[in-house]
Amino acid sequence: MEWGRTEVTETEQKTRFPDVPEEIILCILLELPIRYLLRFRCVSKRWRFLISDPPFSISVQRRHVIIASHYYQPEFSLHCINDDGSIMEIPRPKPLQFAGCLRIGGCLRIGGLCNGLVLLNSSEDLFMWNPFTGYCKKVLLIEFLKQYSDSSIMDVSGLCYDSSTDDYKVVTWVRDGETGTACMVGSCRTKSWTKNCDPYYKKIESSTLVDEHLHWLVTESNIGEDPFSLLTNLIVCFVPQTNKFVKVPMPDYKVGLIKVGLGVLNGCLSLSQCISKKYNDIEVLVMKQYGEKESWTRLFVIPEITLLYWKDKLVPLCCIKDMVLRFRLGPQIQAILAWGLNKKSQGVFPIPNGSRYIDSASRKYSFASQPLQRRGRVHGNLALCGDKQVEA
Amino acid sequence: MASSIENNNEKLTLKSSDGEEFLVEKHVALQSTLLQNMLDSDCSSADVIPLPKIDARTLALVLGYCKKHADASSSKQGELNSFDSEFLKDMDMGALFNLVLAANFMEIKGLLDIAAQKIADTIKDKPHQEVREIFHVENDYTPEEEAAVREENRWAFEGFP
């Protein structure tokens, strides 16, 4: 019985290991990190099919955190935090490696993540990119927005998937007239933009995706200028099926609590808040039943976050073995804070690209490509976007 | 818990593919959804239940797992977790495969999960050629096709042949 520890010849292996049915192979593949899975596409055509995963059966249980510099710079890099907490650099998407795609001074930002696809906002185009398969394609032209607005795009704020129409939708904010702003929703399927009036605008940061809906922490109406103001008192969500914004029930308001971040933990919408006088105890809540006010539950409190500056955002990012929270926009801090649930202790992941401004997002791994491409449908405007299509 | 204590005295006999018989307490057997369904559908506990796909060595391991989990259910999860990792620690590939097949056949989800995880951990650093051998997969790529698939996923191959 000790042969497993010694050198085993191939013939011994062949006689020794029983055949396993495909359902068990799938169980095993489910447990593998995506990088290893990609390599095993070379095993056979059948394995390649399994690891292309059209019904998302392998994808759905995976989660990763992508970290990118906020703005393009020569040392621009992308990293992800794996399930085991290790940090790995991932290659940049091919089209963006060509200098021609990025004008000098142009910026590259993560505009959203959905189903493992990353929406990248270069200065003039929006790309959809799957970092784990290399799939990358230009999906929308920002230029088209000029039909509706004379001013440029202000913020690409989220990507979501509308399963009813099999369409990915991009939510952006643009200037509208002298003082106003408008929300533009772009459809990757029809390559068109729709204008929405936006009752909630206040320099909206990147969004949080739960149940196909995009969520933002905002200031109601147009009170105040500060995005982190004490009046940040509302969660709104965008419903892709209706193209409408609706309010999300909030936990009961308590005087002096500042909401410092909105994120996702274990599939639930999650809110972090701190007490205004101290700024260093962070309470993290989750909405256990989506849409039900009573289901907001305190998950834990992180005491004495000494790093915290009151304008920092502290966004519940993901659970791996420990809790990971992200900082954004910290003037001093370039790190991701990890909170150990069991040990009740803090740890800090340095941000590998040393960027002062980071974007990060936590979504599931997947092998998705854009449905338009996958289903081979042809749309009228596709040719306009076709010149730089690259599929790795 | 009350029901399992009540049934503690009831035992049933399982028979492995190589003819060995195992006397098992009923609450231990209930860890297996397959056996649970058989008992629910009125199989007498006096019968010997044959498990033609599982050899004695594997069945002994499976029952060891079931006993620990049946006796510990609702007690400390941490203790079970360390039992699980210890349980599989030095197990060789052949035994793991037998175990995963048995867990699948007997429908013991927890065991299936940890055994699959262990196999995944074992194969993840192996070259894909070796994975082919382990799972008896025939390489149906032409050399050109294989090179193309490899090129598609080039970054995942850093450090691998």
Side-chain angles (χ1 to χ4, degrees):
Chain A
M1 295 298 174
E2 295 302 316
W3 56 269
R5 287 177 157 267
T6 58
E7 284 294 306
V8 180
T9 68
E10 285 174 10
T11 45
E12 265 178 325
Q13 279 185 349
K14 272 181 182 165
T15 51
R16 193 78 207 188
F17 297 154
D19 283 321
V20 287
E22 194 162 291
E23 62 194 272
I24 293 185
I25 291 181
L26 276 173
C27 287
I28 296 167
L29 295 182
L30 261 169
E31 304 289 345
L32 281 171
I34 207 148
R35 181 185 179 125
Y36 300 95
L37 276 177
L38 289 178
R39 209 158 43 80
F40 292 160
R41 282 179 160 181
C42 276
V43 166
S44 73
K45 289 179 180 171
R46 182 66 195 167
W47 277 49
R48 186 180 180 213
F49 174 80
L50 293 176
I51 305 173
S52 300
D53 198 23
F56 289 106
S57 55
I58 295 183
S59 308
V60 287
Q61 297 189 5
R62 292 155 191 282
R63 197 186 297 110
H64 64 198
V65 181
I66 291 184
I67 309 163
S69 311
H70 203 82
Y71 296 107
Y72 178 76
Q73 46 195 321
E75 64 273 20
F76 180 86
S77 63
L78 291 157
H79 292 80
C80 76
I81 300 181
N82 295 312
D83 288 350
D84 60 3
S86 62
I87 293 181
M88 174 174 83
E89 183 164 2
I90 41 182
R92 275 186 271 169
K94 283 191 179 171
L96 303 170
Q97 286 172 345
F98 301 122
C101 274
L102 284 167
R103 293 178 309 177
I104 293 171
C107 72
L108 174 68
R109 292 192 52 187
I110 293 181
L113 282 102
C114 181
N115 291 343
L117 291 164
V118 182
L119 183 73
L120 288 171
N121 175 18
S122 85
S123 48
E124 301 191 315
D125 309 303
L126 295 173
F127 291 87
M128 204 103 100
W129 172 50
N130 187 328
F132 295 97
T133 62
Y135 170 92
C136 190
K137 190 183 162 205
K138 190 189 290 188
V139 287
L140 281 166
L141 294 176
I142 289 176
E143 204 182 3
F144 284 1
L145 274 177
K146 289 177 183 161
Q147 296 170 16
Y148 305 95
S149 164
D150 54 355
S151 157
S152 64
I153 200 160
M154 293 169 66
D155 206 356
V156 176
S157 194
L159 174 70
C160 58
Y161 178 62
D162 177 358
S163 55
S164 65
T165 55
D166 190 24
D167 190 7
Y168 285 89
K169 290 185 174 173
V170 176
V171 178
T172 67
W173 267 263
V174 296
R175 287 192 206 287
D176 189 33
E178 279 295 302
T179 53
T181 57
C183 166
M184 301 294 302
V185 178
S187 156
C188 293
R189 176 176 281 289
T190 64
K191 308 284 177 197
S192 62
W193 294 90
T194 331
K195 187 171 175 178
N196 269 6
C197 67
D198 156 33
Y200 300 117
Y201 177 78
K202 265 300 130 204
K203 192 172 171 3
I204 283 175
E205 298 291 331
S206 57
S207 56
T208 297
L209 187 69
V210 179
D211 280 1
E212 292 193 358
H213 299 179
L214 288 167
H215 300 77
W216 297 267
L217 200 52
V218 297
T219 306
E220 188 157 24
S221 70
N222 287 332
I223 313 162
E225 284 298 318
D226 190 341
F228 308 109
S229 116
L230 300 183
L231 297 162
T232 304
N233 56 1
L234 195 64
I235 300 173
V236 293
C237 80
F238 172 74
V239 185
Q241 289 79 5
T242 59
N243 274 4
K244 292 259 164 51
F245 287 89
V246 296
K247 294 183 186 180
V248 177
M250 300 280 284
D252 280 330
Y253 178 75
K254 287 181 211 134
V255 178
L257 281 178
I258 310 174
K259 294 166 183 67
V260 290
L262 190 66
V264 193
L265 289 179
N266 297 333
C268 299
L269 195 64
S270 173
L271 183 69
S272 53
Q273 54 187 13
C274 67
I275 297 159
S276 56
K277 284 177 189 160
K278 293 171 71 182
Y279 302 126
N280 56 0
D281 281 2
I282 299 288
E283 180 188 36
V284 177
L285 307 112
V286 291
M287 184 161 64
K288 288 193 164 172
Q289 285 290 320
Y290 185 82
E292 288 188 17
K293 180 183 166 72
E294 287 70 31
S295 75
W296 279 104
T297 310
R298 175 198 272 197
L299 218 54
F300 53 89
V301 173
I302 307 179
E304 295 176 21
I305 296 183
T306 45
L307 293 170
L308 200 65
Y309 170 64
W310 75 275
K311 279 196 175 185
D312 288 337
K313 289 191 102 180
L314 189 63
V315 177
L317 190 57
C318 71
C319 290
I320 42 174
K321 284 174 181 166
D322 282 340
M323 185 68 60
V324 174
L325 304 171
R326 67 173 164 169
F327 278 109
R328 295 183 69 235
L329 301 178
Q332 310 292 332
I333 304 146
Q334 304 157 18
I336 287 178
L337 180 87
W339 171 249
L341 282 177
N342 297 328
K343 294 177 186 160
K344 306 266 185 270
S345 61
Q346 301 174 33
V348 171
F349 285 106
I351 298 302
N353 48 27
S355 170
R356 179 169 165 159
Y357 298 99
I358 60 158
D359 265 326
S360 62
S362 160
R363 285 301 169 266
K364 289 161 180 167
Y365 281 125
S366 84
F367 300 97
S369 52
Q370 198 202 347
L372 288 179
Q373 186 69 24
R374 198 169 65 207
R375 298 189 178 185
R377 295 193 190 169
V378 177
H379 289 262
N381 287 332
L382 197 61
L384 287 168
C385 311
D387 55 338
K388 281 184 187 166
Q389 276 187 30
V390 176
E391 269 199 83
Chain B
M1 281 311 281
S3 65
S4 63
I5 290 165
E6 216 170 273
N7 295 334
N8 255 353
N9 297 330
E10 289 186 53
K11 297 201 172 174
L12 57 150
T13 308
L14 306 178
K15 191 172 170 184
S16 70
S17 61
D18 39 358
E20 205 168 310
E21 292 192 354
F22 293 79
L23 197 60
V24 187
E25 287 165 299
K26 192 172 171 183
H27 77 287
V28 173
L30 287 177
Q31 293 285 310
S32 152
T33 310
L34 175 83
L35 294 177
Q36 190 182 353
N37 290 340
M38 287 171 88
L39 293 170
D40 287 349
S41 61
D42 214 24
C43 273
S44 160
S45 57
D47 291 345
V48 173
I49 300 174
L51 297 168
K53 291 182 171 176
I54 304 171
D55 63 32
R57 179 182 178 235
T58 307
L59 190 54
L61 285 169
V62 170
L63 294 176
Y65 172 91
C66 288
K67 180 156 176 56
K68 182 74 189 177
H69 280 254
D71 292 344
S73 62
S74 84
S75 81
K76 294 176 188 103
Q77 186 60 38
E79 197 182 301
L80 279 182
N81 289 346
S82 57
F83 167 81
D84 284 355
S85 57
E86 199 61 29
F87 181 64
L88 297 175
K89 199 173 163 197
D90 291 322
M91 205 171 282
D92 61 58
M93 243 343 203
L96 274 173
F97 269 63
N98 285 325
L99 201 59
V100 85
L101 285 167
N104 190 50
F105 177 72
M106 294 175 71
E107 298 174 61
I108 306 167
K109 173 125 190 6
L111 183 59
L112 180 63
D113 286 348
I114 60 166
Q117 170 76 60
K118 180 75 179 179
I119 294 174
D121 286 347
T122 317
I123 64 169
K124 73 177 185 190
D125 291 317
K126 295 192 187 297
H128 68 277
Q129 297 88 340
E130 201 175 316
V131 171
R132 234 177 240 152
E133 302 291 341
I134 291 170
F135 289 93
H136 318 304
V137 180
E138 191 192 340
N139 180 12
D140 52 359
Y141 286 121
T142 65
E144 294 77 27
E145 285 169 340
E146 187 175 335
V149 178
R150 192 190 168 98
E151 180 59 26
E152 277 173 14
N153 304 288
R154 187 157 47 98
W155 71 282
F157 274 90
E158 279 165 27
F160 285 96

